[in-house]
Amino acid sequence: MTLRFAILGAGRIGQAHARAISATPGAAFVALYEPLEAAATSMQQRYGSDLRSTEEIVQAEDIDAVAICTPTDTHADLIELFARAGKAIFCEKPVDLSSERVKQALKTVEETGATLMVGFNRRFDPDFMGVKAAIDAGSIGDVEMVTITSRDPGPPPVSYIKVSGGIFRDMTIHDFDIARWLLGEEPVTVMAQGSNLVDPDIAAAGDYDSVNVILKTASGKQAVITNSRRASYGYDQRIEVHGSKGMAAAANRHESTVEVAGEGGYARPPLLNFFMDRYAVAYANEIAAFVAAVTDGKPTPTTGLDGLKALELADAALESAKTGRAVTLG
Amino acid sequence: MTLRFAILGAGRIGQAHARAISATPGAAFVALYEPLEAAATSMQQRYGSDLRSTEEIVQAEDIDAVAICTPTDTHADLIELFARAGKAIFCEKPVDLSSERVKQALKTVEETGATLMVGFNRRFDPDFMGVKAAIDAGSIGDVEMVTITSRDPGPPPVSYIKVSGGIFRDMTIHDFDIARWLLGEEPVTVMAQGSNLVDPDIAAAGDYDSVNVILKTASGKQAVITNSRRASYGYDQRIEVHGSKGMAAAANRHESTVEVAGEGGYARPPLLNFFMDRYAVAYANEIAAFVAAVTDGKPTPTTGLDGLKALELADAALESAKTGRAVTLG
Amino acid sequence: MTLRFAILGAGRIGQAHARAISATPGAAFVALYEPLEAAATSMQQRYGSDLRSTEEIVQAEDIDAVAICTPTDTHADLIELFARAGKAIFCEKPVDLSSERVKQALKTVEETGATLMVGFNRRFDPDFMGVKAAIDAGSIGDVEMVTITSRDPGPPPVSYIKVSGGIFRDMTIHDFDIARWLLGEEPVTVMAQGSNLVDPDIAAAGDYDSVNVILKTASGKQAVITNSRRASYGYDQRIEVHGSKGMAAAANRHESTVEVAGEGGYARPPLLNFFMDRYAVAYANEIAAFVAAVTDGKPTPTTGLDGLKALELADAALESAKTGRAVTLG
Amino acid sequence: MTLRFAILGAGRIGQAHARAISATPGAAFVALYEPLEAAATSMQQRYGSDLRSTEEIVQAEDIDAVAICTPTDTHADLIELFARAGKAIFCEKPVDLSSERVKQALKTVEETGATLMVGFNRRFDPDFMGVKAAIDAGSIGDVEMVTITSRDPGPPPVSYIKVSGGIFRDMTIHDFDIARWLLGEEPVTVMAQGSNLVDPDIAAAGDYDSVNVILKTASGKQAVITNSRRASYGYDQRIEVHGSKGMAAAANRHESTVEVAGEGGYARPPLLNFFMDRYAVAYANEIAAFVAAVTDGKPTPTTGLDGLKALELADAALESAKTGRAVTLG
């Protein structure tokens, strides 16, 4: 059996999923929705997929699943539309910037019994999976402290920042998801601190560019998240989990393993700079996991609820950064 | 000229300084104050120093400087005593557990014009000095985020915990000092979170064993400190500074550089486990710096004020952990 | 313009090139020659390519280039056949086990003006390319000593060993090519030492399983090659170049960047174990380089002469190991 | 009991041993022989040791052991002198540049029953000891290939080169000893290649500056040694042992663990540059091992025979480099 996909959105992330779907055995990229003609044409030429309207995709009998890669403000509507149409849904994070809207959409998903997986790609990174596997194997005992360092090579355009929902909902949301996944227990308290150090235009847009967050669960496990919108040395993506019996850590990926030594010392190349390169395998694994879950009728490894939980942590972090108070979650 | 020392206290740290003073050109270990006979005798045999009372040391014309290595609750009194006696003073951290008492003692130091250096040994670690040198050389641009990971191999006895002043004043105080040193700007806001994950007896003693702290300066620079009272893999001591143009980090020291590979993978030895081994060079550098400053009539690299500032951050962190609120400093 | 390929041979390496050709823009995998039905069918189903005889490929107007991935003893004949047919030729190493036969085949290539690239995939590995780039950029001054460590995860079947031409011609040949490439000057003296430490059946088959080689150029530059047919910790592939001003080295690739610490120390996973995984990017780069050279009418980055030179070094190494004498080349 | 030492020679290595002896419990530095007045006075002032003639040391009842740190051409005579005087002897390598002279001296040692330890300091380096311990623990199975990389930061003065016995006897001799120690079996065949790449004056003095050696034991174990008289990035000292079940390696020691990242990549400091710093702990361990062996009446960890065997390998390597033939030992 082959899972036949429609992809909605031919932007950067839509292209990544097109590549992944085409390369995944048991998956086929059949149709595309994309209002911008140039983007649509380029994707059609490369993959030979049909161009269709969302309504045609809803109706199509040759489409089993959709990958929603459109702008964030369309996600919830499209989830509801395709949940009702009985399609399996893979949706890019976040589901929505409003947790109320997310809850509403998840209600529809629940009522229709639809399959919804939210695209937290990092859970599928081989290095991060190695850390999770070490925890699950008991190699480090009970998890006590998770440390996540995530720094982008450079900030997005301020125009994007303005509609992004802010750094906690746009960038830290990945780290909230990873923290929940590694802690193995829901955080109940959030403390956060935000600064503007990278670009005054980000401050002017009402957002932070440098943040630190402390999460704490009911049993006292903690997670620390460090974010910056800029790192001169590449895309800095590290996790470390400290437990009662040890520690597991995933290091960064450099451009190569080459080291050059000379009078001044030893030099290694910068980190992989582009998220598509850094997480290339993660994107492929993520789609493969979705295809496997839908095909086998099993739960997807991430769900709409994961999207909601991460967003609630983001909301709480923003509140904490603004008020200087620890925010307790429901 | 030789700086002639009396050491007060022949405990673990007194012995460390005896070793350092004996090995430092331009310094001599002349006299010892130690009420416990066994400890005193052992030190005398090793170094040939006199055993004297504090009063005799105050009066002694052959003593230029004292190294105060007695229990914390005697530090402030001894500082005042020797400040009035005109001796140069090296005092182990903390000056006192009460910031009021510290202020009082520093007032005496100021009035007498005495020299007082507080023993923040980590500033003299060659790896940490390398990070500071990179900052001072402009290699990473403006400092934005300092990350300090400090985990002890195992917790001290609960009897010690009870008189320690708590983890923030006893253990994190080193990290507060390092954070101030690396930030190059005073923190004005402190957020902290504490947990009990290592030993329930520590909780019963009213202390935390696992904490995270976020510091923030007026200009928005931040520092994150992660502490645990236990790390199965050794004494975990790392710092990392992220700046506008790059990052500088000091890694851990392992027992050796040996790596053994086999079917199961690659294995390296644990970290140096004992703080005396890990910071052996730092202790030597620290005394050498004190000797050099006193001999040359220059300011010591750390002062009583550094002791006070670190203690104030510790007090603020404790309050934040207890109240869930960011604490703003004077 | 698209370079249309016929692949000869659907074995492991033929499949690798099929994957690479299909993924390379400007290249198409049009036809396959493969006498074994099962292998042929599997490849056809995956890539939709025609199944043809060598004669049909010679005649075909829709074939511009061939990738020769058949057993070694057919390479020279096929090179001559397709050189005369005017096809661009990519041939797996070695061209032949006899340097006389290689010379003969290269003569035909020269006379027909055909393009021939020999598949020394390692030159296209990003890590090794990084070392070469450092040399070419002058970062290490004049090259003085090249050190190549190459150990296979485990020995091939003895049946293969028997027809392989021996470890120098089968395994070390890659390292001879890399040594020539990095030395930038032809080796003129070869010293080699061989042992049997891995498997007595290899000795019974008349081959070594553990060898060391020293190459020396006319100006005195040296290269050391260390080979073993077995490494418990994975596929060990390292190069290091020492020069007048420094050193450049490419390290191994582990299964992941994960490190797990505990009471016993720090553990990292083994190396990538399978040559197809280790050199996945190299195989893709290699085909892309061939396609680019043929399409642009430029020289290929490796040639038949490279194949001959590496083979001559292998012959000399075998003679040196047998006789205990340094062997001087032409 | 305290082992009372006379040190012969107050040069760089004599000073290193003075430091080690003074710091070793159970050892005392009592007397010094040094013909140069300035050197003698400086050492006396620092350690308070007597200045004596060799004859006085021979006669002295308060001297149990001698540390011979004089020029190489005096070693054999002094060994014989003090062996007859019944002193325990620690002698710097090499015993002599002529293996005949070494044999003669060892005969005297044997006849007198004297204790003689030859100063192969590297066996006492904690990192190298870790590799040996991994072998002895069976962690890597049977030893198959030893790889030793040893590069000095810069060449000694040509005046020293001229009397040094050449690179194999002066520099590689350490590596021959380490190879024997790690192989656990005597090498029987030596192949070597020498070049002049560092300094033409070394060639003019009749010596090589860049060499590679392959050793092979009767059972086929091999060792490869790579030497250069110059490395811009510091004192390069690495060993690696490949066995049937794995590999053990000791990495270099850098000036610090600091890594600085920026746009151009990651930078680490050069290696420790000075052999006294790199092997500081080894020198201390070496003396402690000598003291322990003499005090406990046990064999010393290295002996005169080790000195002879290493020298014979050096002689063989020189012959092989000159003749281009593998040289077989006794």
Side-chain angles (χ1 to χ4, degrees), chain C residues 194-195 216 220 222 232 238 245 326, chain D residues 194-195 220 222 232 240 245 324:
Chain C
S195 300
K216 192 175 160 185
Q222 296 190 37
S232 66
R238 286 171 283 161
K245 289 187 186 158
Chain D
S195 300
Q222 295 190 36
S232 66
E240 173 180 315
K245 289 186 187 159

Side-chain angles (χ1 to χ4, degrees), chain A residues 156-239:
Chain A
V158 172
S159 58
Y160 173 81
I161 296 265
K162 282 177 183 165
V163 299
S164 69
I167 189 169
F168 292 116
R169 293 194 192 97
D170 177 58
M171 182 175 173
T172 326
I173 197 159
H174 278 292
D175 307 306
F176 289 128
D177 182 63
I178 291 293
R180 289 180 60 239
W181 182 53
L182 296 175
L183 285 168
E185 187 187 331
E186 291 300 330
V188 293
T189 315
V190 181
M191 272 185 169
Q193 197 58 280
S195 300
N196 285 96
L197 301 164
V198 173
D199 184 349
D201 288 351
I202 296 177
D207 197 7
Y208 303 116
D209 52 39
S210 305
V211 300
N212 283 300
V213 182
I214 305 174
L215 306 176
K216 192 176 162 186
T217 70
S219 74
K221 296 176 200 300
Q222 296 190 35
V224 178
I225 301 168
T226 293
N227 284 168
S228 171
R229 286 286 195 186
R230 179 246 297 116
S232 65
Y233 48 91
Y235 186 33
D236 189 354
Q237 299 283 294
R238 287 171 283 162
I239 59 174

Side-chain angles (χ1 to χ4, degrees), chain C residues 144-145 151 191-195 210-212 216 220 222 224 227 230 232-233 238 240 242 245-246 324 326, chain D residues 144-145 151 191-195 212 216 220 222 224 227 230 232-233 238 240 242 244-247 324 326:
Chain C
E144 292 177 0
M145 286 219 189
R151 296 177 182 132
M191 271 187 169
Q193 197 56 280
S195 300
S210 306
V211 301
N212 283 300
K216 192 175 160 185
Q222 296 190 37
V224 178
N227 281 169
R230 179 246 296 118
S232 66
Y233 48 90
R238 286 171 283 161
E240 173 180 315
H242 180 251
K245 289 187 186 158
Chain D
E144 292 177 0
M145 286 219 190
R151 295 177 183 133
M191 271 186 168
Q193 196 59 280
S195 300
N212 283 299
K216 191 176 164 185
Q222 295 190 36
V224 178
N227 282 170
R230 180 244 296 116
S232 66
Y233 47 91
R238 286 171 283 161
E240 173 180 315
H242 181 250
S244 57
K245 289 186 187 159
M247 176 177 67

